[in-house]
Amino acid sequence: MPDHFFAVIMAGGGGTRLWPVSRHKNPKQLIQLFGDRSLFQIAVSRLEGFIPFEHTYVVTTAEQVEMLRAQEQKIPVRNFLIEPKPRGTAAVVAMAAAAINKIDPAGVIAVLTADHLIENISGFQQNLSAACEVANQGLIATMGIKPTFPSTGYGYIESGSEIGVFSGIKAFQVKRFIEKPPESLARDLFKQENITWNAGMFIWTAETARRELERHAPVLGDFVTRIAAAEDVTRVVAERYAALPQISIDFALMEKVERSYNVEATF
């Protein structure tokens, strides 16, 4: 994999939708739901041999960081980025993009989650390779999963024309993102060939993330720029993070960008 490829694992959620199995002091990413490893450990392991541990970042809360570090000690301590206050995934992405932009402006960032179970690891890594190729063209890549039932619990992606084949996988222009639909719409979407579930994974270069945030979410874009220029990053985060808008990356950015592309999952 290219030396400039980085992974950012979002692992700060409270896991409220899995209550009472998942609780505030023991959220879902820390729980062993499948075998003897937690969801977080599984998320890290599927990157092993593909993205170096030194290039794997974890964004989490202060109260969870020690538990996550105890579960995965191969990731350097400095790569755990702490949210001073939960502000949604847009702020998480901005902080991670700023940190990576500071050390490698040419870096390609794969924003991933800590609560997926993916059994086809080689297929997943092939998809990441394809998305990396797309991102290196200055574009934003997403991953869409072919629906297996008309779910009301997932967002959807409507794909347009094919733009090419990358690492053996087709990529399509994103026509629109569809929020979690009511049951009747979910049934209609399920029947359409150009519809996939939104996996919540996004791949872009650090520079593309900065540029698009400046364009579509200026407060977040300014936050990235200030961190990239700061000598004392901790101070900038402490002073400005709580004032960032509380919004998801889907609403803040993905639904607004002009050029995003769906790498349809083969895993």
Side-chain angles (χ1 to χ4, degrees):
M1 200 58 234
D3 293 337
H4 296 287
F5 205 14
F6 295 79
V8 174
I9 300 175
M10 298 184 290
T16 55
R17 284 178 291 181
L18 278 184
W19 189 92
V21 175
S22 175
R23 296 175 181 269
H24 180 71
K25 293 185 177 180
N26 194 29
K28 61 183 175 182
Q29 58 266 23
L30 290 161
I31 297 175
Q32 297 173 349
L33 292 176
F34 305 96
D36 59 357
R37 295 181 299 170
S38 71
L39 287 174
F40 172 65
Q41 290 171 312
I42 292 172
V44 173
S45 68
R46 59 175 164 259
L47 298 171
E48 191 166 357
F50 186 74
I51 296 178
F53 290 113
E54 292 75 17
H55 282 199
T56 301
Y57 285 73
V58 180
V59 184
T60 188
T61 61
E63 59 189 1
Q64 293 183 32
V65 65
E66 292 303 325
M67 292 183 288
L68 291 169
R69 283 176 54 189
Q71 286 196 356
E72 192 49 75
Q73 299 178 14
K74 296 177 183 177
I75 298 175
V77 171
R78 66 180 181 276
N79 288 16
F80 284 83
L81 307 178
I82 300 175
E83 298 177 83
K85 181 179 181 180
R87 303 305 295 161
T89 55
V92 166
V93 168
M95 182 165 63
I100 294 170
N101 190 294
K102 191 172 179 65
I103 62 173
D104 187 357
V108 177
I109 305 170
V111 180
L112 310 171
T113 74
D115 59 359
H116 283 153
L117 176 66
I118 299 173
E119 296 181 316
N120 182 357
I121 304 302
S122 62
F124 171 69
Q125 293 183 355
Q126 184 182 10
N127 267 86
L128 281 182
S129 292
C132 179
E133 290 183 38
V134 174
N136 270 323
Q137 298 184 22
L139 307 172
I140 295 177
T142 69
M143 287 194 195
I145 298 173
K146 197 66 179 174
T148 55
F149 66 96
S151 172
T152 60
Y154 296 122
Y156 291 74
I157 300 172
E158 180 182 357
S159 294
S161 57
E162 181 182 329
I163 65 162
V165 179
F166 303 86
S167 293
I169 299 173
K170 294 180 179 179
F172 301 83
Q173 183 180 18
V174 172
K175 292 181 69 175
R176 61 170 174 151
F177 291 89
I178 304 165
E179 290 304 309
K180 297 173 183 177
E183 187 174 349
S184 58
L185 178 56
R187 287 197 298 267
D188 290 339
L189 293 171
F190 181 63
K191 299 173 185 177
Q192 300 178 37
E193 287 296 320
N194 65 333
I195 293 292
T196 56
W197 282 331
N198 181 0
M201 294 185 276
F202 309 102
I203 300 88
W204 42 41
T205 65
E207 177 58 26
T208 297
R210 183 200 60 76
R211 182 191 70 225
E212 295 297 338
L213 285 169
E214 284 187 344
R215 180 179 302 170
H216 299 289
V219 174
L220 292 164
D222 179 68
F223 177 69
V224 173
T225 300
R226 286 178 181 273
I227 286 181
E231 292 185 10
D232 188 348
V233 172
T234 302
R235 180 181 59 80
V236 175
V237 172
E239 290 178 352
R240 295 188 173 272
Y241 198 87
L244 295 179
Q246 186 161 0
I247 189 172
S248 72
I249 192 62
D250 300 76
F251 284 126
L253 185 62
M254 295 308 300
E255 295 185 0
K256 299 176 181 178
V257 296
E258 297 173 357
R259 297 193 303 169
S260 58
Y261 298 90
N262 185 12
V263 178
E264 292 199 351
T266 58
F267 53 85

